[in-house]
């Protein structure tokens, strides 16, 4: 016990103390950010490769902090650990639906809006949160897409199957995000009722040079088509990516080749 006491003291180095207080500070600032309405949604267009037109967008959160723009990778993990992702996620849902409803009131052909859902949010209460957001905003459920990852679904397979059914019975769509990077076996694609598969950027990156990436991407597209699932390619950065995907029969594409995530006003201009 004597020795371990000594070790305990050695464990708490000044650097670690600093890390702990930085985390605490970040948590406080994140909490304030919600109150001060410092979060903003950017919208990245998704294009229909067959029809050559804009079909919808993915909402991506940004934090306009007092120190400047903060990207989600810098604060979503902490928000998840602290549970703050629940109120943040509710805000994202409501804001995306509010904005989508405004766009679609003015459009002949409606656009879809996809919202990312973290593992912490993916629980039975999500059904009422989504229903509430749709009711309060008047956004058409058919135009709302929830993006979930394979790991979210695989942590509780039976629970996920039930939750996906309840969510889809609201009339909304489900997309499987980052497809190919997680642990979902193809067999589960049949059990999880999905509307869209998002092919992960890491596969698109290697097209057309990397034969493995070409084979994987083509196979995902063919398989999805047979299962009646819409394919969305993520991280489309070049004309070559786009040409390959169009020929392979991929339905939708999203990436810097077309547009970066855009503030709402800029996305609105794309709609005209
Ligand atoms: P994600 O859902 O996989 O989102 C796609 C990310 O790829 C976005 O990064 C987007 O800006 C970026 N991206 C789009 N096109 C390209 C491209 O052509 N090349 C490259 N290199 N990157 C591209 P972002 O906005 O920084 O978001 C990062 C992650 O943060 C998202 O990954 C998502 O997991 C999470 N996230 C974003 N917004 C939300 C949110 O509202 N709620 C939750 N729970 N997570 C969010
Ligand atoms: Ca996503
Ligand atoms: Ca993704
Ligand atoms: Ca390879």
């Amino acid at each position: 016990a004597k020795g371990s006491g000594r070790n305990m003291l050695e464990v708490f180095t000044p650097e670690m103390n600093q890390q702990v207080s930085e985390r605490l500070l970040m948590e406080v600032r994140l909490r304030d950010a919600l109150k001060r309405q410092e979060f903003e949604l950017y919208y990245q267009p998704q294009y229909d490769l067959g029809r050559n037109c804009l079909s919808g967008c993915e909402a991506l959160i940004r934090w306009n902090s007092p120190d400047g723009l903060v990207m989600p990778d810098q604060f979503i993990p902490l928000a998840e650990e602290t549970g703050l992702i629940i109120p943040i996620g509710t805000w994202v849902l409501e804001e995306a639906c509010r904005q989508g409803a405004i766009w679609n009131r003015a459009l002949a052909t409606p656009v879809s809006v996809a919202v990312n859902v973290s593992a912490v949010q993916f629980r039975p209460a999500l059904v009422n949160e989504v229903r509430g957001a749709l009711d309060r905003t008047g956004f058409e459920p058919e135009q709302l897409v929830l993006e979930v990852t394979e790991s979210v679904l695989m942590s509780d397979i039976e629970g996920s199957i039930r939750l996906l059914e309840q969510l889809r019975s609201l009339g909304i769509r489900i997309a499987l995000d980052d497809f190919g990077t997680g642990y979902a076996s193809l067999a589960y694609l049949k059990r999880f009722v999905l509307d869209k598969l998002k092919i992960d950027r890491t596969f698109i990156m290697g097209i057309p040079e990397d034969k493995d990436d070409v084979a994987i991407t083509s196979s995902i597209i063919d398989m999805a088509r047979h299962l009646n699932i819409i394919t969305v390619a993520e991280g489309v950065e070049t004309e070559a990516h786009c040409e390959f995907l169009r020929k392979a029969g991929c339905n939708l594409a999203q990436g810097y080749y077309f547009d970066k995530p855009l503030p709402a006003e800029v996305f609105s201009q794309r709609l005209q």
Side-chain angles (χ1 to χ4, degrees):
K2 218 169 156 193
S4 72
R6 220 187 115 101
N7 285 337
M8 283 291 285
L9 280 175
E10 281 168 1
V11 164
F12 290 97
T13 60
E15 299 89 73
M16 281 189 74
N17 254 322
Q18 201 189 333
Q19 277 180 17
V20 170
S21 45
E22 270 171 19
R23 255 181 71 102
L24 282 172
L25 182 64
M26 183 76 164
E27 189 181 338
V28 171
R29 294 173 125 211
L30 212 48
R31 217 174 276 282
D32 282 350
L34 204 54
K35 271 184 257 163
R36 297 190 196 151
Q37 302 184 295
E38 289 172 354
F39 292 114
E40 181 178 356
L41 292 183
Y42 277 44
Y43 300 88
Q44 187 174 34
Q46 295 178 333
Y47 289 90
D48 187 317
L49 292 173
R51 295 195 199 114
N52 251 320
C53 63
L54 196 156
S55 93
C57 60
E58 175 178 5
L60 295 155
I61 196 168
R62 302 289 182 260
W63 175 14
N64 297 306
S65 87
D67 300 334
L69 190 72
V70 187
M71 301 301 278
D73 290 336
Q74 303 292 115
F75 64 90
I76 292 289
L78 184 64
E80 289 177 333
E81 282 169 46
T82 55
L84 277 170
I85 193 69
I86 297 294
I88 294 174
T90 306
W91 177 82
V92 170
L93 253 176
E94 187 112 9
E95 176 63 14
C97 289
R98 187 191 67 77
Q99 187 60 75
I102 293 173
W103 286 329
N104 285 345
R105 270 196 285 275
L107 290 171
T109 319
V111 286
S112 64
V113 181
V115 169
N116 290 285
V117 170
S118 102
V120 184
Q121 291 172 273
F122 197 74
R123 65 211 193 293
L126 180 63
V127 180
N128 275 330
E129 289 165 8
V130 173
R131 189 187 287 118
L134 292 169
D135 286 350
R136 282 188 289 275
T137 59
F139 191 46
E140 292 293 329
E142 299 73 42
Q143 306 306 334
L144 178 63
V145 182
L146 295 190
E147 296 195 357
V148 294
T149 61
E150 293 164 71
S151 50
V152 169
L153 300 181
M154 295 303 287
S155 67
D156 170 13
I157 292 163
E158 296 305 320
S160 296
I161 291 170
R162 273 196 302 276
L163 190 45
L164 288 181
E165 272 168 10
Q166 288 179 300
L167 287 166
R168 285 185 83 260
S169 70
L170 297 173
I172 69 166
R173 317 269 181 230
I174 306 291
L176 190 52
D177 205 355
D178 307 339
F179 184 70
T181 62
Y183 306 101
S185 82
L186 297 181
Y188 286 110
L189 287 184
K190 243 177 73 179
R191 300 203 59 204
F192 300 132
V193 190
L194 301 166
D195 301 281
K196 294 183 173 183
L197 268 190
K198 298 194 76 175
I199 307 168
D200 193 69
R201 181 161 64 86
T202 52
F203 301 117
I204 308 300
M205 267 167 55
I207 290 171
E209 300 84 10
D210 188 315
K211 298 299 163 227
D212 301 336
D213 290 342
V214 165
I216 291 167
T217 303
S218 315
S219 308
I220 294 174
I221 294 168
D222 289 343
M223 176 196 62
R225 189 191 306 115
H226 288 115
L227 292 169
N228 237 324
I229 298 173
I230 293 169
T231 40
V232 187
E234 302 193 282
V236 176
E237 293 187 354
T238 66
E239 170 124 47
H241 291 164
C242 200
E243 274 322 296
F244 172 85
L245 292 163
R246 184 177 281 122
K247 286 200 188 103
C250 182
N251 302 112
L252 306 173
Q254 174 184 352
Y256 297 166
Y257 175 67
F258 301 102
D259 280 301
K260 297 209 160 166
L262 308 167
E265 318 80 67
V266 183
F267 183 77
S268 299
Q269 288 158 18
R270 290 285 191 289
L271 292 172
Q272 272 132 45

